[in-house]
Amino acid sequence: MSLKGKTALVTGSTSGIGLGIAKALAAQGANIMMNGFGEKDAAIAEIKALGVEVDYHGADMSRPAEIEAMMQAAQQRFGGVDILVNNAGIQHVANIEDFPVDRWDAIIAINLSSAFHTTRLALPYMKQNNWGRIINLASVHGLVASAQKSAYVAAKHGIVGLTKVTALETAQTGVTCNAICPGWVLTPLVQKQVDARAQKEGLNNDAAKKALLLEKQPSAEFVTPDQLAALAVFMCSDAASQIRGVAWNMDGGWVAQ
Ligand code: NAD
C-alpha cells in the first residue's frame, strides 16, 4: 500500500504511540504534520529521514483556538488533512474525591474535546475528496474501567462514542473513523505509573513493571508502539474501507477477562 500524496496529522506525535504511528505512516509515503510538546527536534528528524514532507505545529490540544490555527497551517502547507490521528493524551491517577478539578478539565479537553475539534475541522476536506481516515487513540479504558482514573476513563469512553457517531455520519462516504484501544504500552505516560508503583510498594523498576502488567494484562507483556502503528496503517488501507466505528483493542487479553 502506498500513502504517497496523502497528508497525515498526528496529534501528540513527539513521543510514544503517536511518534510510532507517524513513522509508520511516513514509511508508507504520507507527508506528516506533527504536534506535541517536549523534545520535538529528534522526532521531526526521524520522520524527515524517511523522505517525506514534514511540518510541525505546537498547538496545545486543550485550546480550541490553537487547534484551529494548527488545522489552518496544515491546510496552507499541504492542502488539507487526509489522515487524522487523534492521539495526544494525558493521565492523572487519584480517587474521585481527591481528583484535582483542573486535571479533570485538562484530561477531558486533551483526551476528548480536542478530537471533536480536529474532526469537525478535518471532515469538510475529507468529504470533498471522498477519502479520509480518522483514527482515534482510545484505550482499553474506553471499554472497561479502572479505579482512580475517572477523568481518563470518562474521556476514553467518550472518544469511543465520538468514533461511532463520526463513523455513522460518514458511512456513505470514503471517509472512515475507528478507534484503537491499547492495553499497557511502555511510553512516558505509563513509565510515570510504573515509577509511582515502584515508590509506593518499594519495588525496583522491573518488578514494578511486572506488577503493573500482571494486574490487568494476561500476556504479561507490553503492547508496542510499532504494533499499534501497523494497525493504524492497516486502517488506512483499502482492505479496511468497510471497517467503520469499531473500537479495536490490542491489549494482551485485558478485555477478554
Ligand atoms: P506519551 O506521553 O508518550 O505521548 C503523549 C503525546 O501527547 C506527547 O507527544 C505529548 O507531548 C502530547 N501531548 C500531551 N499533552 C498535550 C497537549 N496539551 N497538546 C498537544 N500535545 C500534547 O503517551 P502515549 O502513551 O504515547 O499516549 C498516546 C495516546 O495513547 C494517549 O491518548 C493515551 O491515552 C493512549 N493510550 C496509551 C496507553 C499506554 O499504555 N501508553 C494505553 C492506552 C491508550
Side-chain angles (χ1 to χ4, degrees):
M1 181 190 46
S2 172
L3 296 175
K4 218 171 166 37
K6 306 278 192 221
T7 297
L9 166 63
V10 186
T11 69
S13 44
T14 49
S15 143
I17 296 167
L19 178 57
I21 291 177
K23 278 195 280 188
L25 295 174
Q28 298 295 327
N31 298 323
I32 307 291
M33 185 72 166
M34 299 183 70
N35 158 261
F37 300 152
E39 281 298 314
K40 66 179 194 315
D41 293 345
I44 293 170
E46 262 190 271
I47 309 275
K48 275 194 176 150
L50 294 164
V52 297
E53 295 288 311
V54 183
D55 207 342
Y56 167 84
H57 195 284
D60 179 336
M61 298 303 289
S62 68
R63 300 194 171 157
E66 293 187 23
I67 296 172
E68 288 188 18
M70 176 179 69
M71 298 304 288
Q72 265 172 19
Q75 189 183 10
Q76 271 161 17
R77 173 74 192 264
F78 298 110
V81 172
D82 303 289
I83 299 165
L84 170 63
V85 183
N86 288 309
N87 167 80
I90 58 168
Q91 175 63 288
H92 187 84
V93 180
N95 285 331
I96 292 174
E97 64 271 32
D98 304 321
F99 212 93
V101 171
D102 72 324
R103 289 301 82 202
W104 171 277
D105 288 342
I107 290 175
I108 298 299
I110 297 165
N111 296 19
L112 175 58
S113 302
S114 72
F116 161 69
H117 293 296
T118 52
T119 298
R120 73 182 169 81
L121 296 165
L123 271 176
Y125 176 83
M126 292 181 180
K127 283 184 169 173
Q128 182 189 313
N129 292 333
N130 200 33
W131 197 92
R133 293 289 186 266
I134 301 173
I135 299 171
N136 293 327
L137 261 292
S139 163
V140 283
H141 286 116
L143 304 169
V144 294
S146 292
Q148 301 191 308
K149 295 187 174 174
S150 55
Y152 190 86
V153 170
K156 295 300 187 182
H157 275 66
I159 203 164
V160 168
L162 176 66
T163 301
K164 292 176 183 174
V165 174
T166 308
L168 291 179
E169 292 186 7
T170 54
Q172 294 185 5
T173 75
V175 181
T176 72
C177 178
N178 293 292
I180 295 179
C181 300
W184 289 123
V185 187
L186 191 58
T187 64
L189 181 142
V190 164
Q191 186 60 46
K192 275 192 211 154
Q193 294 171 70
V194 172
D195 294 344
R197 184 136 193 170
Q199 201 186 11
K200 191 170 157 213
E201 296 179 15
L203 302 171
N204 67 28
N205 185 49
D206 281 349
K209 278 185 200 161
K210 240 345 172 225
L212 198 81
L213 282 168
L214 283 172
E215 194 174 66
K216 300 274 185 180
Q217 196 146 303
S219 67
E221 287 179 6
F222 287 103
V223 179
T224 68
D226 285 350
Q227 291 169 333
L228 293 162
L231 178 55
V233 167
F234 173 66
M235 284 177 167
C236 292
S237 71
D238 287 343
S241 66
Q242 288 308 324
I243 299 176
R244 292 170 184 267
V246 304
W248 189 326
N249 43 317
M250 186 185 280
D251 62 2
W254 184 320
V255 173
Q257 297 167 99

